[in-house]
Amino acid sequence: MTKPRITPRPTDDWTAEVDDAFAVLRAHAPGDQSGPPQRPKANILGIYAWHPGFVRGWMPFSDHLRHSTLPDRVREMAILRTTWLGYGEYEWAQHVWMSKAAGYLTENEIAALSEGPDAAEWSPADAAVVRAVDEMCTVKNVSDATWSELEAQFTREQLIDFTFTVGTYDMHCTAFTVLGLQLDEGLTGFPDDHRRAG
């Protein structure tokens, strides 16, 4: 989609209600938070800004996933594979940038996530993570064999967080496509050979 169906709300049009709704984002921000709130420019937050009630309901859960029990690297692997499979270009581009900037994943690992669980880059434990994402996104379940491999490396809390992370980003792929969410300036989208027809 080449234009948004809902355009981001300009930050100078945000109200005190919108600022208050986004307060959960500031809870983990570094530095002094006593001044006026900084309004993030991301296109998705601009869309959310039209609906403060949604923000108040959604952001605590979204913030939990961002700071969940999963190791950062595993979380980013799950998000990138999910959004690659679901053609979720916005979140894929955001998380490629974040993963590189934070050092969670290497260029080779990011490339391997576009290949899948059989990529030579993966250890058996990593391959199980990628395979679980593939199974969740294609058959909407995880095989007993793959689940056993996950249980060998994650706690119950981590298994729950993993499941909801994949499920949430799979939902993002649909929602953001429907809304016509456009990439933020400076981000690189999918390669030309990975675009859904139509």
Side-chain angles (χ1 to χ4, degrees):
M1 192 171 294
T2 58
K3 64 179 184 177
R5 285 179 167 159
I6 297 179
T7 56
R9 187 173 186 175
T11 53
D12 58 6
D13 185 43
W14 290 20
T15 63
E17 182 185 18
V18 175
D19 288 332
D20 181 64
F22 278 116
V24 69
L25 290 179
R26 295 189 292 278
H28 292 282
D32 181 12
Q33 301 295 315
S34 60
Q38 296 297 308
R39 293 173 171 171
K41 305 284 189 194
N43 286 338
I44 186 53
L45 299 182
I47 291 175
Y48 289 169
W50 291 114
H51 195 344
F54 174 83
V55 172
R56 283 192 294 274
W58 175 253
M59 286 314 240
F61 174 66
S62 180
D63 196 56
H64 168 76
L65 293 183
R66 191 173 169 198
H67 302 281
S68 78
T69 61
L70 289 176
D72 294 325
R73 178 175 175 274
V74 170
R75 181 193 65 240
E76 296 304 310
M77 287 174 62
I79 291 170
L80 287 175
R81 183 60 180 167
T82 300
T83 54
W84 179 267
L85 292 173
Y87 294 91
E89 185 171 34
Y90 183 87
E91 290 288 6
W92 183 85
Q94 286 276 7
H95 284 269
V96 164
W97 178 83
M98 288 165 41
S99 294
K100 288 180 181 177
Y104 298 145
L105 294 168
T106 66
E107 290 272 8
N108 287 344
E109 288 171 329
I110 291 168
L113 285 166
S114 68
E115 184 179 337
D118 297 326
E121 187 74 21
W122 304 129
S123 67
D126 287 343
V129 168
V130 180
R131 187 174 302 108
V133 174
D134 283 25
E135 293 175 5
M136 286 183 67
C137 291
T138 57
V139 299
K140 305 303 180 187
N141 202 347
V142 174
S143 68
D144 289 342
T146 302
W147 187 257
S148 293
E149 292 181 84
L150 295 180
E151 283 185 313
Q153 55 180 314
F154 300 123
T155 66
R156 286 193 184 101
E157 284 184 333
Q158 289 174 322
L159 290 168
I160 292 169
D161 281 333
F162 177 81
T163 301
F164 277 92
T165 297
V166 174
T168 298
Y169 280 85
D170 193 34
M171 176 197 68
H172 281 333
C173 293
T174 299
F176 295 166
T177 297
V178 171
L179 294 172
L181 178 60
Q182 304 296 296
L183 291 179
D184 294 328
E185 186 176 349
L187 289 181
T188 303
F190 286 143
D192 289 338
D193 63 356
H194 187 69
R195 297 193 185 278
R196 190 183 347 231

